[in-house]
Amino acid sequence: MRTIEWDDDRDCIVMVDQTKLPGEYTTYHAETIPQLVESIRRLRVRGAPALGAAGAFGVALAARRNEAATFDDYADAVAADAESVANARPTAVNLSREVETVLSELRACTSIPEARERTLAAATDVADADVERNERLGGNGAALLSDGETVMTHCNAGALATVDWGTALGVVYSAQEAGKEISVIANETRPLNQGSRITTVELQQRDVDVTLIPDNASGLCMQEGMVDAVVVGADRIVLDGGERFGDQGVVFNKIGTYKQAVMADRHGVPFVVAAPHSTVDTERSADEVEIEERDPDELREIYGTRNAPEGTAVYNPAFDPTPMELVDYLVTETGVYEPPLDRTTFEAAERTPA
Amino acid sequence: MRTIEWDDDRDCIVMVDQTKLPGEYTTYHAETIPQLVESIRRLRVRGAPALGAAGAFGVALAARRNEAATFDDYADAVAADAESVANARPTAVNLSREVETVLSELRACTSIPEARERTLAAATDVADADVERNERLGGNGAALLSDGETVMTHCNAGALATVDWGTALGVVYSAQEAGKEISVIANETRPLNQGSRITTVELQQRDVDVTLIPDNASGLCMQEGMVDAVVVGADRIVLDGGERFGDQGVVFNKIGTYKQAVMADRHGVPFVVAAPHSTVDTERSADEVEIEERDPDELREIYGTRNAPEGTAVYNPAFDPTPMELVDYLVTETGVYEPPLDRTTFEAAERTPA
């Protein structure tokens, strides 16, 4: 199944419950808006593209479950539900963007039955578009990999971060589909361990050979010649590096990505960023991107067991910036780009539907 | 108290029980050889210099508890006990070396009472010598730090890895003693989390300001200008880099050290290795140093909770090699050396008691 989709039988949302990984691979049905909001907050579903689909299906869920007597009351109630979904995680731009996509479809309707049908169709389109985009992206990136190579990846930019196929791991799946045997070294990705908890699971499900390492071992792996390419996703890419990085663009991705990029550079290993075009922010400079600091208890405790003395001071940034000078290839659904990015070409590609 | 010492009242070994950290700071009394062996195996006491003292006191414990009727039987029994202590962790060279130091003292004795006394005196000398050596080392290294600076460290090369004072952290304590205010950024140090479990505890006990970070955040910290020096310990230093590193020496230390050194180099942050002279192996080349691979379950589980699917392939090397070109200063009890190391000077210093 997909990471998140519509269950026609139960007329509700069904998702892989990622809070249960790696212990159990189970699904969770969100039949109400509060259940969906709680699922987003608790990270049952995570990853920017998957959250976009969650938002889209959320509006459809509200539209199909609401029993208001008049269309006006109905539309108001669905909009209120939509807002609570959009705000479940305020930093994920895809979530609110796709809530709005489906809500604008509802605004064009004139009856409740029509709205019930069209919102679900629109949400399904959002989900399908994500999968198609990732498959195109994967196909573009696969050309960079040769049979028998080993890819190192950081965090989880795979099927479980998207509706399906994934971005960084989509490149691996597309290469595999093209008949190339690719192995993966998965960094554990402290402090939330998405590499060990999620990336291993989805690679094993797709019969990709995967070896888990502590983040600390990635330098040694490169020294030992075990890595042919590093492929990671991106949370946001800016083309203007601001004060710290100047002219060059910057990739914001899971904390530790910068260290991987520096190690890859030192060892002559290609460093590949795989992300949809929508990740590229052509407006903002790196200076304007705030790096989210997460709960200190993510370090002080692990799985509920004390890992550092109570009250220990912690610095726990979720992302770090990698300057484009360290990026060899940027792979999107429109092609493979070699930084420094030519802003004009890149923006033109963005406007052209691939 | 020291990490490990002799308890005169109970006539046995007492140690800080490091398996209880960071939850509890408690002591464990080893009153029998099996208790001591189990303590070493379970890492109640760890760190090469601390294990040396454990071995030394172990022979004293055997000598003081054995009740054989004749001196010959007694000496044989103590030697057998000593062997079981020396083999408790076969890779720690200090352990077997200091067992031998005290055992040779026993061989010079002619009566049981004399042996009981002289073995304990010899073991105490081993422990005292470690503390004195670390204090000299710390004093030498402290000159590299200025008031108000922040040191990043990896793993635990502190008081709790030695009998007292520590090596890398000894440099910080000596700087503090000299009136300089030094802050520390402690890397968590996956997979065994010595940074979060042990380094934080001992720094807090000595009123040193410490901030814990995930290993993944160390690059960002340097990018943000938060780090004035990286100071780490060493498990083994070789002067001959072998095939991979050629002419230059190599520092073997806890996995992840190499990445820290590369990041420090990129950001112009001094990278300091603090280790006693006995760590320098002038015989072997880097090619002859085997990197210990540890249990895959250290990654598959954390504190007993599943962290990756059962049976997931894991690469879990305990150490990595850092070439001397990345080391700015090597601090020992005899002085501060700037690599590349002049073998003649360095070996001469080693032969000169400091």
Side-chain angles (χ1 to χ4, degrees), chain A residues 289-303:
Chain A
V289 179
E290 198 195 331
I291 293 180
E292 178 191 352
E293 260 196 72
R294 293 183 58 88
D295 189 342
D297 280 337
E298 288 179 2
L299 270 277
R300 292 181 193 139
E301 293 173 17
I302 306 182
Y303 300 139

Side-chain angles (χ1 to χ4, degrees), chain A residues 188 190 258 267 303 307, chain B residues 188 190 258 267 303 307 315:
Chain A
E188 181 183 36
R190 287 287 296 151
Y258 172 57
H267 290 281
Y303 300 139
N307 184 49
Chain B
E188 181 183 34
R190 289 286 297 147
Y258 172 55
H267 290 280
Y303 300 138
N307 184 48
Y315 180 49

Side-chain angles (χ1 to χ4, degrees), chain A residues 89 91 235-236 252-257 290-294 315-321, chain B residues 220 224:
Chain A
R89 276 186 79 191
T91 46
D235 286 86
R236 191 192 295 260
F252 288 84
N253 192 46
K254 180 58 39 69
I255 190 74
T257 300
E290 198 195 331
I291 293 180
E292 178 191 352
E293 260 196 72
R294 293 183 58 88
Y315 179 48
N316 185 20
F319 307 102
D320 60 24
Chain B
L220 179 60
E224 290 182 338

Side-chain angles (χ1 to χ4, degrees), chain A residues 138-139 141-149 151 165 168-184 202-210:
Chain A
L144 297 172
L145 301 179
S146 303
D147 186 34
E149 287 193 333
V151 164
W165 209 246
L169 296 188
V171 170
V172 171
Y173 300 143
S174 293
Q176 183 180 251
E177 214 175 47
K180 299 172 190 171
E181 200 167 311
I182 305 294
S183 300
V184 174
E202 71 165 85
L203 289 169
Q204 287 165 359
Q205 282 183 342
R206 289 167 198 245
D207 288 322
V208 178
D209 176 70
V210 56

Side-chain angles (χ1 to χ4, degrees), chain A residues 97-118:
Chain A
R97 192 170 56 210
E98 304 301 1
V99 161
E100 184 47 38
T101 302
V102 181
L103 210 50
S104 69
E105 191 71 20
L106 179 139
R107 286 193 206 103
C109 298
T110 51
S111 77
I112 296 178
E114 185 195 7
R116 288 191 170 139
E117 198 162 310
R118 284 179 61 179

Side-chain angles (χ1 to χ4, degrees), chain A residues 21-23 154 187-191 193 196-197 200-201 204 209-221 223-224 226 244-245 255-260 262-263 265-267 291 298-303 305-317 319-323 325-326, chain B residues 21-23 154 187-191 193 196-197 200-201 204 209-221 223-224 226 244-245 255-260 262-263 265-267 291 298-303 305-317 319-323 325-326:
Chain A
L21 295 176
H154 193 66
N187 294 342
E188 181 183 36
T189 321
R190 287 287 296 151
N193 310 355
S196 60
R197 289 195 307 112
T200 55
V201 169
Q204 287 165 359
D209 176 70
V210 56
T211 300
L212 172 65
I213 63 165
D215 303 299
N216 279 324
S218 63
L220 179 60
C221 289
Q223 221 184 58
E224 290 182 338
M226 294 163 66
R244 195 180 293 169
F245 303 103
I255 190 74
T257 300
Y258 172 57
K259 286 173 77 176
Q260 304 309 322
V262 170
M263 299 313 299
D265 185 53
R266 180 176 169 91
H267 290 281
I291 293 180
E298 288 179 2
L299 270 277
R300 292 181 193 139
E301 293 173 17
I302 306 182
Y303 300 139
T305 299
R306 186 140 295 289
N307 184 49
E310 221 170 318
T312 295
V314 166
Y315 179 48
N316 185 20
F319 307 102
D320 60 24
T322 299
E325 62 177 345
L326 297 172
Chain B
L21 294 177
H154 192 67
N187 294 341
E188 181 183 34
T189 320
R190 289 286 297 147
N193 311 355
S196 59
R197 289 195 306 111
T200 56
V201 170
Q204 286 165 2
D209 176 70
V210 56
T211 300
L212 172 66
I213 63 164
D215 303 300
N216 279 323
S218 63
L220 179 60
C221 288
Q223 223 183 57
E224 290 182 338
M226 295 163 65
R244 197 180 292 169
F245 302 102
I255 189 75
T257 300
Y258 172 55
K259 287 174 77 177
Q260 305 308 322
V262 171
M263 298 312 299
D265 185 52
R266 179 174 170 91
H267 290 280
I291 293 180
E298 287 180 2
L299 269 278
R300 293 181 192 140
E301 292 173 19
I302 306 182
Y303 300 138
T305 299
R306 185 139 296 290
N307 184 48
E310 220 170 319
T312 296
V314 166
Y315 180 49
N316 186 20
F319 306 102
D320 61 23
T322 299
E325 60 177 346
L326 298 172

Side-chain angles (χ1 to χ4, degrees), chain B residues 135-160:
Chain B
E135 286 173 346
R136 281 201 303 274
L137 185 159
N140 291 337
L144 296 172
L145 301 179
S146 303
D147 186 35
E149 288 194 332
T150 298
V151 164
M152 175 177 281
T153 193
H154 192 67
C155 197
N156 176 262
L160 287 165

